[in-house]
Amino acid sequence: MSKLAAQDQFLDFSDYGRPFGKFLANQLKDTRFTPVHVTVLFGISGLIAVYCILQQQYFLAGFFIILKSGIDAADGELARLKKTPSYFGRYLDSVFDIVLNFIFLMSICFVSNATIGLTLLAFIGIQMQGTLYNYYYVILRNKSYGGDGTSKVFEHKTPKALAGETQRSVNILFGIYYAVYGIFDKTIHMLDADAYKVKTFPNWFMSLLSLYGLGFQLLIIAAMLSLGWINYIVPFFIVYTVFIFVFIGIRKTIFKVKKSS
């Protein structure tokens, strides 16, 4: 949780892959592997999980989904170790995540009794859940004294390319990123437009909210697959989405925005 000041650090249930990510990054720091190579690697792990789902090898599918989460944590760690941050890699990571989420659910739909309509609803729910978590988390990071301020709460302009990447590649990846994430960002902002005015969020609130993080979502999917509960995955995430309004309600009720005099 180095992206936050000490007093703002919280138990992130979605970040269980971080230890493995740090280990992998340390093994690769003196090699020719780049963070983008690692991003591609977690994409491959995700596709293997999809193949396992379609072959009804659910335990193996769960394993590769968890492996994907661990590798996913390594690209950012490797970028920090090699001191090679890039917007291209950052947006590629996010685009891979949403594409894999969609393919995971579609493959589950194919082998379960879920309908396409309900599966699309579950996909929208998963993205809304993750967006809420990221929205509050980035707000906290931006306000955390001594923490990380590289991510923006409102990201709607193409950033200037960093050293080692071309502006054209950043433009393309940002365009794709904004096209697939923009609607979710705008919806969450509409539901809680004043959240960024709050001074901070307490640790317990962020820990609960981390149950909406991508890592924890994938952990739920992996566990349900391994237990043979594939027919319950789509309905679960539809119901799970309801808690978005619970979290926003808590924020608005307990952590109120101070009105200027």
Side-chain angles (χ1 to χ4, degrees):
M1 198 68 64
S2 58
K3 295 179 180 180
L4 295 169
Q7 70 273 13
D8 292 319
Q9 293 178 13
F10 60 92
L11 177 60
D12 189 342
F13 291 107
S14 72
D15 202 31
Y16 56 85
R18 187 64 52 186
F20 177 79
K22 288 183 176 179
F23 170 79
L24 180 59
N26 275 292
Q27 302 307 305
L28 298 176
K29 66 179 180 180
D30 296 322
T31 70
R32 294 183 179 180
F33 270 83
T34 68
V36 171
H37 290 146
V38 177
T39 301
V40 172
L41 187 61
F42 90 62
I44 293 172
S45 181
L47 292 177
I48 293 174
V50 170
Y51 175 78
C52 291
I53 292 172
L54 295 175
Q55 295 299 312
Q56 301 184 24
Q57 299 292 324
Y58 300 140
F59 184 83
L60 278 176
F63 170 80
F64 282 105
I65 287 174
I66 297 300
L67 181 60
K68 180 264 182 192
S69 291
I71 300 173
D72 195 358
D75 51 7
E77 294 290 341
L78 187 60
R80 282 184 281 276
L81 287 174
K82 286 179 174 283
K83 297 181 180 180
T84 55
S86 74
Y87 285 112
F88 178 88
R90 175 184 165 195
Y91 295 132
L92 182 66
D93 183 300
S94 296
V95 170
F96 272 23
D97 279 335
I98 194 170
V99 170
L100 286 173
N101 283 353
F102 181 78
I103 299 175
F104 285 153
L105 287 179
M106 286 298 111
S107 61
I108 288 169
C109 175
F110 184 79
V111 297
S112 71
N113 57 15
T115 65
I116 292 180
L118 289 178
T119 302
L120 289 174
L121 189 61
F123 170 73
I124 292 171
I126 283 177
Q127 294 309 129
M128 291 288 288
Q129 295 161 26
T131 300
L132 181 69
Y133 168 67
N134 290 331
Y135 181 51
Y136 287 158
Y137 181 38
V138 172
I139 289 173
L140 182 63
R141 280 168 57 180
N142 284 186
K143 291 180 178 290
S144 182
Y145 179 76
D148 175 71
T150 55
S151 296
K152 298 179 178 60
V153 178
F154 308 109
E155 198 161 16
H156 50 79
K157 292 184 179 179
T158 306
K160 184 178 180 180
L162 298 173
E165 59 182 356
T166 66
Q167 188 62 52
R168 183 172 181 272
S169 66
V170 173
N171 292 347
I172 293 173
L173 259 296
F174 178 79
I176 298 172
Y177 169 87
Y178 189 73
V180 295
Y181 282 102
I183 184 64
F184 301 110
D185 291 341
K186 290 177 182 177
T187 302
I188 291 298
H189 177 245
M190 179 185 66
L191 292 173
D192 194 3
D194 291 332
Y196 74 97
K197 298 178 183 178
V198 176
K199 184 177 180 180
T200 189
F201 302 115
N203 297 345
W204 65 264
F205 178 75
M206 292 304 300
S207 289
L208 284 177
L209 191 60
S210 73
L211 299 178
Y212 265 178
L214 176 60
F216 198 79
Q217 291 172 330
L218 294 180
L219 181 62
I220 292 173
I221 293 174
M224 295 182 78
L225 283 171
S226 299
L227 292 169
W229 297 350
I230 190 167
N231 290 323
Y232 300 104
I233 293 176
V234 166
F236 172 84
F237 280 103
I238 293 173
V239 174
Y240 200 43
T241 304
V242 173
F243 290 97
I244 285 177
F245 302 100
V246 175
F247 283 118
I248 293 176
I250 291 173
R251 203 293 298 163
K252 290 184 176 181
T253 303
I254 302 179
F255 320 125
K256 297 181 179 179
V257 176
K258 291 186 179 180
K259 296 181 179 180
S260 56
S261 56

